[in-house]
């Protein structure tokens, strides 16, 4: 079912998100993307032609553009949002996109840290983890991260202001956690799963909360693995809870206002790693799973402004 | 550290509880029971001699008597409770003991079912599961159980009033759940773990709650196993939460009053399987893990009232 078309949009940035991996493989909270269909994805673009009050020519718009250079906004399945005037398109993809919003709602609504508590964030150098940790710091928590290289750990501590960061590839996470979270972990914001989730369970504080945001260690490889020590939830009187950012859509404006203010005040820093060219999409997407990135991955669709070529999808785009 | 002794108690019933298994193996929420020490356990007895205002000779008392025939109540580590006048000693062990109270607090405080919701209970024929399911029925829920034999399933439906019961040894739990919980499971009260936990995760309703009360399938055998599909918590926006009944001690009187009233009104039925003789303790305890029981297991210490023999620990006990 496709609704009546309302605007033609030239896509400018595509957001690379691990959750797309699930959409390709099976029905999840959204139906599986069938082979041959456009791959469902967040993107940001500019309105080229509008025949609706909702959009004005030149507007920045964001939403489920899919992995394509042009998209049609309609009045049904594909409604796009118009971010506040002056929004940086990269913020629309990253900080105000699902990865930034997941940090906001996952940490504040599910994890609910209070000042003085210890918060652990896995994937701390990533698009969501880096933001979650900085919000927790802003809330007065002690914040520890895990990341996959010394370089990333340096960024996590020096750039994002975490109190500590464990390189899970070279350090023994469980014993390091015992040292750096000696009073136990009150909130674990987990993007990773696997060994790190088990290590966190073994170091949870009483009444600890584990926010299951993602499980990137589980998307590749053969058999997925559950946390073998999940009965620590009994001993710690703790909970493990999942969430989807889309459920909080009615509160996006508040979240975007908060995140925008924190970014302006330097409280939350956000890094978007941009590569150019539609042909870079597969490689940029795959880098989500190899750990070879800091912050958010996005692909810029760098059209040549002097050419119009419908087959290639090239056309001016501001 | 032992406090000043207050009463000598002749133990009358010992409660057989799976959690003791954990206490024997490792430090958990309580320190491990060292080899050679008396095994920590709930028991019910009668005060033989008192030198405290707390106890009167002849009082029924319950608490951590340990696996022994005589115990000393002291003013420190081993304080015993005096249940309301007229309490049946078997109720003090079962319905008003940790297994009944776990059903009460785990279901009502952690699972929080509301009328019309679907509640799944594993170990439905057991001491805790049978009570949890009956409370859920009383709350207006549709209640489904799992148990390990057709006999147990019959008891669960006919005696305890569950709407349905799945024999996990002969039926394919996951597909059966899809049929009998077609709108999804709102609350899963889990005593078992393993395959049943995974099957429940795959059939959770949105915003489902999994109460981790125990994981009896995980206490035996080699490597414990975590729920491989725990990321269903994300898709279902669901939570998994552990608890310990001891944390709710300040509300035991309310719970005991409710359970007692429900038992008197026939709303909650409770079965205690009693064997006689201290020498039966190991076998009765092991039957917790083979699934060969319905309801609560307790051992009666049947002293010969006509003999006093300190070595054998025999002495009259009301």
């Amino acid at each position: 079912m496709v609704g009546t078309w309302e605007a033609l949009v030239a896509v400018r940035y595509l957001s690379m998100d691990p959750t797309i991996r699930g959409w390709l493989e099976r029905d999840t909270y959204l139906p599986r993307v069938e082979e041959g269909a456009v791959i469902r994805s967040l993107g940001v673009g500019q309105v080229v032609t509008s025949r609706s009050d909702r959009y004005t020519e030149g507007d920045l718009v964001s939403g489920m553009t899919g992995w394509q250079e042009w998209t049609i906004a309609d009045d049904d399945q594909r409604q796009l949002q118009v971010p506040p005037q002056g929004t940086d398109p990269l913020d629309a993809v990253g900080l105000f996109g699902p990865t930034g919003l997941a940090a906001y709602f996952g940490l504040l609504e599910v994890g609910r840290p209070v000042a003085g508590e210890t918060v652990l964030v896995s994937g701390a150098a990533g698009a969501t983890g880096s933001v979650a940790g900085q919000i927790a710091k802003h809330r007065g928590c002690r914040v520890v991260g895990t990341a996959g290289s010394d370089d990333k750990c340096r960024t996590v501590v020096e750039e994002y202001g975490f109190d500590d960061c464990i390189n899970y590839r070279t350090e023994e996470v469980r014993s390091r956690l015992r040292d750096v979270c000696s009073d136990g972990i009150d909130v674990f914001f987990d993007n990773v799963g696997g060994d790190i989730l088990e290590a966190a369970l073994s170091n949870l504080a009483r009444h600890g909360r584990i926010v299951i945001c993602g499980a990137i260690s589980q998307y590749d490889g053969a058999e997925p693995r559950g946390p073998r020590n999940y009965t620590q939830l009994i001993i710690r009187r703790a909970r493990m809870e999942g969430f989807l950012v889309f459920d909080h859509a009615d509160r996006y404006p508040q979240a975007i206002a908060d995140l925008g203010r924190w970014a302006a005040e330097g409280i939350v820093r956000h890094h978007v790693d941009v590569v150019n060219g539609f042909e870079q999409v597969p490689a940029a997407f795959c880098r989500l799973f190899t750990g070879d990135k800091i912050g958010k991955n996005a692909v810029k669709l760098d059209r040549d402004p002097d050419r119009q070529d419908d087959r290639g999808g090239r056309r001016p785009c501001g």
Side-chain angles (χ1 to χ4, degrees), chain A residues 17-22 169 216 219-220 284-293:
Chain A
D17 294 299
T19 194
I20 294 173
R21 180 73 174 266
R169 290 192 207 267
I216 203 148
Y219 299 165
D220 259 328
F285 184 65
C286 289
R287 279 194 300 126
L288 297 176
F289 303 96
T290 57
D292 181 22
K293 68 169 198 79

Side-chain angles (χ1 to χ4, degrees), chain A residues 15 30 46-47 56-57 72 109 139 141 145 175 191 199 204 215 221 225 230 236 241:
Chain A
S15 171
L30 290 173
Q46 209 145 19
V47 173
T56 307
E57 203 171 310
I72 296 291
E109 297 289 311
R139 282 284 161 110
C141 298
S175 63
N191 298 296
L204 266 193
R225 206 182 89 202
Y230 78 98
R236 317 283 176 168
E241 186 164 352

Side-chain angles (χ1 to χ4, degrees), chain A residues 27 36 60 66 74-75 79 98 114 140 182 200 239 252 300 306 312:
Chain A
D27 291 336
L60 184 75
D74 65 37
D75 60 1
Q79 291 188 21
V114 299
S182 53
R239 69 178 154 85
Y252 284 178
K300 185 173 187 195
D306 297 326

